[in-house]
Amino acid sequence: GFVGNIHSAFKAGQEVRVKVLKVDVAAGKLSLSLKPSVTEEADGGEDDDDNEAGSEASEDLDEAMAERHEALQGADDDDDEVEAMESLDDSDDEGQALPMDSDEEGSEDVEADLEGEMEGMTAGGTEEAEPGTPAAPLRTLDLGADGAWGAAEPATAAADAEIPAAEEADGKKLSKMQKKRAKAEKEAAIRKAELARANPDSEPDSVEAFEALVAGQPHSSHAWIRYMAFLLGTQDAAGARAVAERALETISFREEDEKFNVWRALMNLENSFGSPPEAAAMACFQRAAQHTEPKRLHLAAADMFASSGRTEAARTVLKAACRKFSQSAKVWLRAISVELGEGGGGSAAAQKVLDRALAALPPRKHIKVVTQAALAEFRSGSVERGRSIMEGILRNYPKRLDLWSVYLDQEVKVGDAARTRALFERCITLQLPAKKMKFFFKRYLQYETDHGTDETRQHVQDKAREFVSAL
């Protein structure tokens, strides 16, 4: 029969069965027919297998169309769909009925209207395009590099990205295509943030990302210090200082190591960006001494000042540490190292510190301090002074294999072959057990293998045979 009002027969999102009559690729048009006789004829011409496959495909299509219908129920573009349906009604004379199944001419009108509707959708959605406005390309789904589905940007995305801002500035409503594009961009940003949060090895690249990092790891000094380093990279020293203060307030008092790491980072920040740097760093050091383990803090502050060339500040810190921790060999050795370093007082000042250390430390720590002082002289001070200290130790402890081994290592590093061979000759003449003597002969032979000749190697082998024959 005929339909007097199209709205009584169709509604937005309704599933319909049509047959494609014609495809015009050049014009971008489809010719469709709603006539039941045409659709039934197409269904009846298939064999049983085709009917079964077609039935399954139809069920899939019906299910997909039902899902689409539910998604459209709460969408903002219902008015656009109604306008598209009204265009069918407006194409005929007002009040004229449309034939549905008994009149060929009526069905052709419906087909023509559907062709026009499809043409409008191809040109840029269900909304009518303004005159002179180029048709927007259709958006498709694309699998991004992160493995998540998203809306692919059309070729003219760079030009179209300016449209929403322009329309909002003019107070105009965004089109459906622009709403979809904005939604896709928002979803892509959320997806990127979620992937970054899921990957603990990823490096945050914004203040928001670092805020999320420290919120998830509030007691991690590593996270807070990375945040500080990021802000310092942007020349925001005040912001980095504020982050350090927040970290000290946030990290639990039970996490002493984490708090200490933040205090050390804050001292380094003040030592580099404070005003003036040395005074600001010293003030930070005095604050930190009230909240963290003092001996460890004194050593860290001394290292910081010494490495930055502020030797006087390092001396001040170590002078206080030597008074407060006079029984600590580590503190005295650090004071000797500062004197032997760049800007220090040299071997003479280091000797004075060593004398004070031996007077303050218990005897059981003397060998350790003196040996380490000799090694510091070999590395940074006077080699002759280092030899003198080692000779003094070996006179008192001639059977300490570890002391002889340390002395040999230093002479090998210095590279004086004559002195090294003379020291090895002294070692192989010591009155020590055979097991310890074997150690010296093996080291001597290895040295001659690396640095000597065939004659020197033969000399060591002959000495070893003489020792064995004398047992």
Side-chain angles (χ1 to χ4, degrees):
F2 291 89
V3 178
N5 184 2
I6 193 171
H7 297 290
S8 64
F10 299 97
K11 61 181 180 180
Q14 179 180 346
E15 300 88 346
V16 296
R17 185 180 297 279
V18 298
K19 178 181 180 182
V20 179
L21 300 178
K22 180 181 179 182
V23 179
D24 190 348
V25 179
K29 296 181 179 181
L30 284 175
S31 296
L32 308 174
S33 175
L34 290 167
K35 289 183 62 178
S37 60
V38 177
T39 56
E40 290 175 1
E41 179 182 358
D43 293 340
E46 299 173 349
D47 56 16
D48 294 339
D49 294 338
D50 293 339
N51 286 338
E52 184 178 356
S55 176
E56 294 176 357
S58 177
E59 290 177 1
D60 294 340
L61 176 61
D62 293 342
E63 183 180 354
M65 294 177 71
E67 292 176 357
R68 174 60 179 168
H69 176 64
E70 292 175 1
L72 289 174
Q73 291 299 318
D76 296 335
D77 54 350
D78 288 312
D79 293 339
D80 297 334
E81 299 289 345
V82 173
E83 291 174 6
M85 294 300 298
E86 288 177 350
S87 64
L88 291 174
D89 191 34
D90 295 337
S91 63
D92 291 298
D93 295 336
E94 186 174 357
Q96 183 179 353
L98 293 177
M100 292 301 296
D101 56 353
S102 60
D103 188 73
E104 183 68 20
E105 182 179 354
S107 64
E108 292 176 356
D109 293 337
V110 175
E111 294 171 11
D113 292 336
L114 287 174
E115 289 179 8
E117 180 66 14
M118 293 300 296
E119 182 179 0
M121 293 176 66
T122 305
T126 59
E127 291 189 354
E128 295 181 2
E130 297 182 1
T133 302
L138 292 176
R139 294 167 61 83
T140 60
L141 287 177
D142 185 32
L143 184 62
D146 56 0
W149 285 103
E153 294 295 333
T156 58
D160 291 343
E162 301 176 358
I163 297 177
E167 289 192 353
E168 288 178 354
D170 296 339
K172 296 182 180 180
K173 182 180 178 181
L174 296 177
S175 67
K176 183 164 61 177
M177 181 66 70
Q178 292 163 353
K179 289 179 182 178
K180 289 182 179 179
R181 183 181 297 114
K183 182 179 180 181
E185 292 173 354
K186 182 178 180 181
E187 291 176 350
I190 294 174
R191 187 162 55 248
K192 180 181 178 182
E194 290 176 347
L195 290 172
R197 183 174 298 180
N199 184 9
D201 298 329
S202 63
E203 183 67 24
D205 56 358
S206 65
V207 172
E208 292 77 10
F210 274 104
E211 287 292 341
L213 177 65
V214 297
Q217 306 176 37
H219 304 297
S220 171
S221 60
H222 180 63
W224 289 101
I225 293 172
R226 287 169 64 191
Y227 194 0
M228 293 170 61
F230 170 76
L231 293 175
L232 289 175
T234 62
Q235 305 299 318
D236 187 5
R241 190 177 292 110
V243 168
E245 297 293 346
R246 282 176 54 198
L248 293 172
E249 295 176 0
T250 303
I251 297 176
S252 172
F253 67 91
R254 297 184 180 88
E255 304 290 344
E256 295 182 0
D257 291 342
E258 303 298 329
K259 276 187 173 290
F260 175 79
N261 292 338
V262 176
W263 278 116
R264 184 166 57 181
L266 183 56
M267 283 195 305
N268 279 281
L269 185 150
E270 298 293 357
N271 192 44
S272 300
F273 300 95
S275 181
E278 185 173 326
M282 191 64 73
C284 181
F285 162 73
Q286 293 170 356
R287 279 183 58 205
Q290 302 173 11
H291 302 280
T292 188
E293 202 276 309
K295 175 182 172 182
R296 187 180 180 189
L297 182 68
H298 277 75
L299 295 175
D303 290 341
M304 177 191 68
F305 285 126
S307 62
S308 60
R310 297 184 170 89
T311 307
E312 196 59 39
R315 281 201 189 101
T316 301
V317 172
L318 287 171
K319 185 177 180 181
C322 289
R323 287 198 304 268
K324 195 169 185 178
F325 311 103
S326 60
Q327 301 295 302
S328 172
K330 187 179 292 186
V331 171
W332 288 106
L333 289 172
R334 198 64 55 88
I336 293 173
S337 177
V338 168
E339 295 297 343
L340 292 175
E342 185 177 355
S347 296
Q351 180 61 41
K352 293 180 181 179
V353 176
L354 179 60
D355 294 339
R356 290 171 53 203
L358 294 177
L361 291 169
R364 61 186 176 83
K365 294 186 177 182
H366 286 187
I367 295 180
K368 174 184 176 181
V369 172
V370 174
T371 303
Q372 293 297 323
L375 295 180
E377 290 283 0
F378 271 106
R379 289 192 302 266
S380 307
S382 168
V383 175
E384 288 299 330
R385 175 65 186 162
R387 288 180 178 134
S388 176
I389 294 174
M390 289 301 303
E391 291 289 346
I393 300 173
L394 290 171
R395 278 196 299 269
N396 296 324
Y397 303 96
K399 296 184 178 181
R400 289 283 298 267
L401 184 65
D402 56 337
L403 297 179
W404 284 105
S405 181
V406 169
Y407 194 5
L408 286 169
D409 288 339
Q410 298 307 309
E411 287 292 358
V412 171
K413 289 180 181 179
V414 171
D416 190 334
R419 282 184 174 273
T420 303
R421 288 192 174 96
L423 185 59
F424 271 117
E425 290 292 333
R426 287 175 57 191
C427 290
I428 61 177
T429 58
L430 294 173
Q431 299 300 317
L432 297 176
K435 186 175 181 179
K436 292 185 177 181
M437 295 302 295
K438 179 181 178 181
F439 168 78
F440 287 125
F441 278 112
K442 287 181 67 175
R443 285 208 61 178
Y444 195 2
L445 182 60
Q446 184 62 46
Y447 176 79
E448 294 298 347
T449 301
D450 295 338
H451 305 281
T453 61
D454 293 338
E455 290 83 0
T456 57
R457 284 196 298 275
Q458 187 63 43
H459 170 72
V460 175
Q461 292 172 353
D462 294 340
K463 288 286 185 180
R465 292 190 185 96
E466 292 177 5
F467 176 80
V468 171
S469 62
L471 292 177

